[in-house]
Amino acid sequence: VSGDEIAHAALTLVDRDGLEALSMRRLAEDVGIGTMTLYGYFRDKRDLLDAMIDIAAEDFDPPPARGGPRSRLEAYMRATRDWLLRHPTLVQIRGSEPIVRPAAFRVSEIGMQLLLDAGLDPPEAARAFRVLFDYVFGSAAFSGPEPTAQQRRAIQAAVVTLPPDEFPALRTAAGGAAAALGGAEQFEYGAARLLDGLGIA
Amino acid sequence: VSGDEIAHAALTLVDRDGLEALSMRRLAEDVGIGTMTLYGYFRDKRDLLDAMIDIAAEDFDPPPARGGPRSRLEAYMRATRDWLLRHPTLVQIRGSEPIVRPAAFRVSEIGMQLLLDAGLDPPEAARAFRVLFDYVFGSAAFSGPEPTAQQRRAIQAAVVTLPPDEFPALRTAAGGAAAALGGAEQFEYGAARLLDGLGIA
DNA sequence: ACCTGAACACCGTTCAAGT
DNA sequence: ACCTGAACACCGTTCAAGT
């Protein structure tokens, strides 16, 4: 067994069962080696998580290089979101700490290039990139994939329970809020508004 | 000691030392009671985290009700960001699961009302709210407060290490990327572009 | 009723021993 | 050299006992 194979096994484990299900002991058992043998491949758990990010980064599916800057940026944002949703724990592994792994830089490089191609000067492209980054990662982390009918009903029910005189706006928009919980359409809407605001036609 | 006091102690603990530092054993010792006494106040650790969210929600500082819809929405986004940065673990406690606590709804109510006041119809306000939410939470989680000079130098150094022929765009925008790492100015820029895109003048 | 120590089933990691 | 079990210092939580 190689380090890459172990990191791959760890990634499929967290994709299926969540980050909290990953323990050195359980991973070792999954792979069929002694727990302490893992420490021959990774200095510690943090090092294993870094290796998992590298493996996941290879799974990024670059958007097709066709069309104008606007539609290419939309495709790039969509591809980044799809990538994060395929590995839901990616956004949890590193909170605020910037990811300085080369594999992750490859994803950023594409986005930055598209913004420069769209005509933004370098400092402006850097600022714009960060805004897109925060929105895409934020959507993946806090809004997520298509909400289930059950989730929609739950939020509807919760809003309807609120006293109407204290929460008039939420009551008014309750139906819309349930629909806007997450999903591809909601994400695309925000992405489009954001690119509008950045002046990318 | 009351449950509120315990939740407050837990919140100051995680604000200072991070979420991973919070254990039932350590919290009990901090408060000066036996570990198992905590379970008289909270069913389990998850229940304690919910109580911490409620305590933190009271700490939201509503923006002043002055000016037009645009400047009020800017002030609202700023206030929400400041609130999250005051309690950096808030964004970690619940990943994707929607927060259905009444105290958190109070923060949402203000934002939704501002969007309705700005002239958006209810379904559009709901979609727009979600976009603002994703951006503000995403900024707090992934970009964070003012980057230190050291963090800026670290990202600069990392980018300069990349092979220039593989990462031309990142190299070109390296200085800007370091400046756009986070901080209030970067956040305001994105907030303004987002409101532009939503057609809120 | 209220509080809590002991115990159980887990962690990550060090250290020494096994091959 | 490579692998790993035992041990240590932790977890959250159940259960039974203490007042």
Side-chain angles (χ1 to χ4, degrees):
Chain A
V1 277
S2 73
D4 265 20
E5 284 169 332
I6 295 174
H8 194 89
L11 189 61
T12 61
L13 195 161
V14 298
D15 285 344
R16 198 184 55 235
D17 298 331
L19 186 56
E20 74 286 356
L22 175 66
S23 75
M24 301 302 264
R25 285 167 148 97
R26 178 167 163 196
L27 175 61
E29 197 176 21
D30 272 22
V31 177
I33 57 177
T35 304
M36 293 317 299
T37 310
L38 288 173
Y39 288 80
Y41 297 95
F42 311 102
R43 201 192 329 277
D44 50 22
K45 194 175 184 181
R46 194 192 155 89
D47 193 33
L48 167 65
L49 292 171
D50 282 343
M52 290 164 64
I53 292 176
D54 286 342
I55 296 289
E58 289 170 24
D59 196 35
F60 178 71
D61 197 19
R66 332 170 62 234
R70 167 72 182 228
S71 71
R72 289 181 61 175
L73 273 163
E74 282 173 354
Y76 170 73
M77 292 174 79
R78 197 156 36 232
T80 306
R81 173 176 182 267
D82 290 343
W83 172 56
L84 293 176
L85 293 186
R86 236 175 289 138
H87 304 291
T89 42
L90 267 190
V91 294
Q92 287 177 42
I93 289 181
R94 296 272 176 147
S96 177
E97 288 180 63
I99 303 180
V100 292
R101 314 237 99 218
F105 275 132
R106 213 157 288 132
V107 179
S108 302
E109 168 69 18
I110 297 173
M112 194 71 88
Q113 188 61 257
L114 289 174
L115 288 166
L116 293 171
D117 290 349
L120 277 58
D121 63 49
E124 201 182 345
R127 279 202 303 272
F129 177 77
R130 197 83 202 164
V131 176
L132 296 186
F133 178 92
D134 287 343
Y135 174 67
V136 174
F137 272 64
S139 297
F142 304 110
S143 286
E146 227 63 48
T148 64
Q150 196 189 2
Q151 282 175 313
R152 269 202 223 91
R153 257 181 277 120
I155 198 95
Q156 273 267 35
V159 173
V160 170
T161 306
L162 299 172
D165 50 329
E166 282 184 62
F167 298 93
L170 285 179
R171 286 294 289 263
T172 301
L181 255 190
E185 197 187 346
Q186 165 67 24
F187 173 78
E188 300 280 341
Y189 168 80
R193 295 295 73 74
L194 203 41
L195 293 171
D196 287 348
L198 292 166
I200 294 166
Chain B
V1 278
S2 73
D4 266 21
E5 284 169 331
I6 295 173
H8 194 89
L11 189 62
T12 61
L13 194 162
V14 298
D15 285 344
R16 197 184 55 234
D17 298 330
L19 187 56
E20 74 285 355
L22 176 65
S23 75
M24 300 302 263
R25 286 165 146 100
R26 178 166 164 198
L27 176 61
E29 197 174 23
D30 272 22
V31 177
I33 56 177
T35 304
M36 291 319 299
T37 311
L38 287 173
Y39 289 79
Y41 296 96
F42 310 102
R43 201 190 330 275
D44 50 22
K45 194 175 184 181
R46 193 190 156 90
D47 193 34
L48 167 65
L49 292 171
D50 282 343
M52 289 163 64
I53 292 177
D54 287 342
I55 297 289
E58 290 170 22
D59 197 35
F60 177 73
D61 198 18
R66 331 172 60 235
R70 167 72 181 228
S71 70
R72 287 181 63 176
L73 274 163
E74 283 174 353
Y76 171 74
M77 292 175 78
R78 197 157 35 232
T80 305
R81 173 176 182 268
D82 290 344
W83 172 55
L84 293 175
L85 293 187
R86 235 175 290 138
H87 304 290
T89 43
L90 268 191
V91 294
Q92 288 178 38
I93 288 181
R94 296 274 176 143
S96 178
E97 289 180 64
I99 304 180
V100 291
R101 313 238 98 218
F105 275 133
R106 213 157 288 132
V107 178
S108 302
E109 168 69 17
I110 296 174
M112 193 71 87
Q113 188 60 256
L114 288 174
L115 288 164
L116 293 171
D117 290 350
L120 276 58
D121 64 48
E124 202 182 342
R127 280 202 303 273
F129 178 77
R130 198 80 202 168
V131 176
L132 297 185
F133 179 92
D134 287 343
Y135 173 67
V136 174
F137 272 64
S139 298
F142 303 110
S143 286
E146 228 63 50
T148 63
Q150 195 189 1
Q151 281 176 312
R152 268 202 223 90
R153 256 181 278 119
I155 197 94
Q156 273 269 33
V159 172
V160 170
T161 306
L162 299 173
D165 51 328
E166 281 183 64
F167 298 93
L170 285 178
R171 287 294 289 262
T172 302
L181 254 189
E185 197 186 344
Q186 165 67 25
F187 173 78
E188 301 280 342
Y189 168 80
R193 296 293 75 72
L194 202 40
L195 293 172
D196 286 350
L198 291 167
I200 294 166

